[in-house]
Amino acid sequence: MPELNVNPQSFDKKQLMLSVEEAQARILEAILPITTKERVGLRQGLGRILADPLLARMDVPSHRNSAMDGYAFRHIDTDIHKAFYVAGVSMAGHPFHDSLDIGQCIRIMTGAVVPADADTVVMQEHVSREGDIMTLQRIPIPGANVRHPGEDLCTGDAVLPAGRKLNAADLGVLASQGIGEVDVLRRPRVAFFSTGDELKGIGEVLQPGDVYDSNRYTLFGMLNKLDVDILDLGVIPDQQEAVEHAFAQASQLADVVITSGGVSVGDADYVTDTLRKTGTVDFWKIAVKPGKPLAFGKLNDRCLFFGLPGNPVSVMATFLLFTRAAILKLRGETMIELPEYSAICDTPLQKAPGRKDYQRGVCHLDVRGQWHVRSTGMQGSHILSSMSTANCFIALPLLAGDVNAGEIVNIIPFHELL
Ligand code: AMP
Ligand code: MG
């Protein structure tokens, strides 16, 4: 397959910008995971991060039991017997308590205790039964259809590691151990607000030049996927005092504060002005498209700050590329990388060398297991519908130029993240 076009000429003056990878690394470096634990009921543990490693406190199964509905007997008896006297029954939850004489068996159901005298279970389809006599049609191998204590989990086994995001299977495993409560990490509290005099809430009437605030909805949706406590602090007007007050309030309430808008170098970019005073926030120009300006730092000694750009696609892209991983690390998760795949690009793409592009694409796997991707069309950072149409980013390297149809590109599927 043809390689991507690389044209190293036209990006020299942009080399001072931070690369995506460098910005990601700097952000992750600055984050220490939350360590505060809280005890929750098992169901409430779903999707939460396990605080401590979990060891099995008992054997599962705890008793020898039958894997089949059938008959339990001593295998050595088959040397002389094909027909066995049915001496009793063992049902799930109702064991057979007597002993078995030579040539005796018991009727047994799946999950029921295999009595100490028996070592083998024959499935009922392989016997004939007349009155109290069971006759083997086929002789199973010794030990057949018997499940042993600890086959699933043995006391002391490492069951789940710390940092594990508990899923449905984990809840079941914990329940099988008789564990009804788990210690999980406290959820991060994430506050966000939008900035801009042009922003109106849904239900308000738009004046000329106004737009409805969509960023607070995309942020809400993406944060929801991360299982954090969300505080929507609304829209803050472009006034120094209002922005200062909003920061003071948000930093008291939250572990992470996210803003959108006001971080470029326009006349009304009060986020930048306000935060320059604190000295613990960096203003980065990242070699990325969309989303070049990004502010990152701390509002006080523990509250992380992300100043995302205002354009609706830039907000989503910078959140997914930078903020998401930071929040995952903060909440104690260990699997935070977004997987990338190689795909055949079925449409040509326009790309100027000098920034890493995250274009919007629609990807699918063909019948041979090969990824394909096509562009969603116009790629402006204001085309929010492109995010809605897309199910992946097409990640084009810093140096890459235009892409021809049929070339190989990297994609980052994101449908599960929105
Ligand atoms: P700014 O970064 O504040 O200069 O904003 C850049 C662009 O994004 C402008 O066109 C804004 O109107 C738009 N924008 C900023 N915030 C929002 C928002 N919350 N919802 C929709 N558009 C926004
Ligand atoms: Mg603005």
Side-chain angles (χ1 to χ4, degrees):
M1 303 273 174
E3 289 287 301
L4 283 176
N5 290 334
V6 170
N7 173 6
Q9 253 95 64
S10 49
F11 66 97
D12 279 345
K13 62 179 186 294
K14 291 169 182 162
Q15 271 182 340
L16 289 176
M17 288 194 282
L18 213 55
S19 72
V20 170
E21 293 73 19
E22 208 172 331
Q24 285 170 330
R26 284 200 200 179
I27 290 169
L28 288 183
E29 239 166 57
I31 288 160
L32 289 176
I34 284 175
T35 51
T36 319
K37 303 172 193 177
E38 59 192 37
R39 185 158 291 186
V40 298
L42 193 51
R43 284 192 174 90
Q44 282 66 48
L46 185 63
R48 302 292 300 271
I49 308 298
L50 195 63
D52 304 306
L54 204 114
L55 302 184
R57 46 164 93 154
M58 57 182 266
D59 287 351
V60 178
S62 58
H63 54 270
R64 258 185 358 145
N65 70 91
S66 175
M68 292 286 173
D69 293 336
Y71 294 85
F73 57 96
R74 240 184 322 258
H75 197 274
I76 198 161
D77 294 359
T78 60
D79 289 352
I80 34 174
H81 293 271
K82 296 288 171 288
F84 288 73
Y85 176 74
V86 182
V89 181
S90 181
M91 310 272 279
H94 302 281
F96 172 78
H97 292 292
D98 293 337
S99 50
L100 287 181
D101 288 337
I102 293 170
Q104 291 190 341
C105 69
I106 57 157
R107 176 89 172 109
I108 194 164
M109 303 301 167
T110 305
V113 175
V114 175
D117 293 337
D119 56 22
T120 302
V121 171
V122 59
M123 61 197 285
Q124 63 191 27
E125 289 81 353
H126 292 173
V127 307
S128 60
R129 170 91 185 250
E130 242 172 89
D132 289 338
I133 303 301
M134 177 280 284
T135 306
L136 292 171
Q137 303 296 329
R138 290 195 215 169
I139 300 178
I141 58 166
N145 301 318
V146 176
R147 301 161 168 172
H148 294 275
E151 266 183 5
D152 185 1
L153 293 171
C154 267
T155 309
D157 276 356
V159 182
L160 296 168
R164 168 82 175 186
K165 184 175 177 181
L166 295 174
N167 65 22
D170 301 335
L171 294 199
V173 167
L174 289 163
S176 79
Q177 287 282 309
I179 295 171
E181 290 184 323
V182 277
D183 285 342
V184 294
L185 296 178
R186 174 175 77 73
R187 278 196 186 101
R189 276 184 291 273
V190 182
F192 59 86
F193 55 84
S194 298
T195 67
D197 285 346
E198 76 282 28
L199 302 179
K200 290 288 179 295
I202 296 163
E204 290 186 272
V205 177
L206 295 187
Q207 302 301 325
D210 288 350
V211 294
Y212 287 119
D213 176 0
S214 55
N215 291 346
R216 276 165 49 233
Y217 293 88
T218 53
L219 283 174
F220 167 80
M222 292 186 294
L223 285 168
N224 235 301
K225 291 282 181 173
L226 303 186
D227 192 38
V228 294
D229 290 336
I230 300 171
L231 299 165
D232 181 345
L233 301 182
V235 178
I236 313 298
D238 287 321
Q239 290 159 14
Q240 183 86 33
E241 265 176 34
V243 173
E244 272 182 36
H245 178 74
F247 278 128
Q249 194 198 8
S251 62
Q252 292 306 308
L253 297 172
D255 302 293
V256 182
V257 173
I258 302 171
T259 63
S260 69
V263 288
S264 34
V265 285
D267 289 344
D269 289 328
Y270 291 103
V271 170
T272 318
D273 289 349
T274 307
L275 291 168
R276 280 207 197 285
K277 292 183 184 169
T278 75
T280 54
V281 174
D282 274 343
F283 296 90
W284 293 339
K285 282 197 174 26
I286 302 177
V288 66
K289 193 178 172 189
K292 183 165 73 172
L294 183 88
F296 171 70
K298 284 184 174 176
L299 295 182
N300 56 32
D301 56 355
R302 45 156 279 279
C303 180
L304 293 165
F305 173 72
F306 287 88
L308 308 183
N311 273 304
V313 179
S314 309
V315 168
M316 295 194 75
T318 49
F319 180 91
L320 293 174
L321 292 174
F322 304 109
T323 315
R324 178 184 167 277
I327 291 174
L328 291 183
K329 181 168 179 193
L330 183 68
R331 73 181 292 234
E333 277 199 53
T334 45
M335 307 275 284
I336 55 185
E337 296 254 316
L338 288 176
E340 286 196 24
Y341 306 92
S342 296
I344 296 173
C345 195
D346 291 333
T347 51
L349 306 174
Q350 287 186 344
K351 158 84 170 67
R355 279 156 80 180
K356 187 164 183 183
D357 263 26
Y358 289 86
Q359 301 200 5
R360 272 68 69 209
V362 180
C363 63
H364 74 275
L365 269 176
D366 71 15
V367 286
R368 285 171 302 153
Q370 167 69 54
W371 283 102
H372 288 257
V373 68
R374 63 181 167 82
S375 173
T376 57
M378 280 176 70
Q379 294 291 320
S381 57
H382 60 298
I383 313 280
L384 183 54
S385 60
S386 70
M387 283 299 292
S388 203
T389 310
N391 60 8
C392 69
F393 285 126
I394 308 172
L396 302 174
L398 196 83
L399 301 184
D402 292 345
V403 174
N404 299 314
E407 290 184 51
I408 298 290
V409 291
N410 273 8
I411 56 166
I412 303 173
F414 60 50
H415 55 283
E416 306 236 316
L417 311 178
L418 310 187

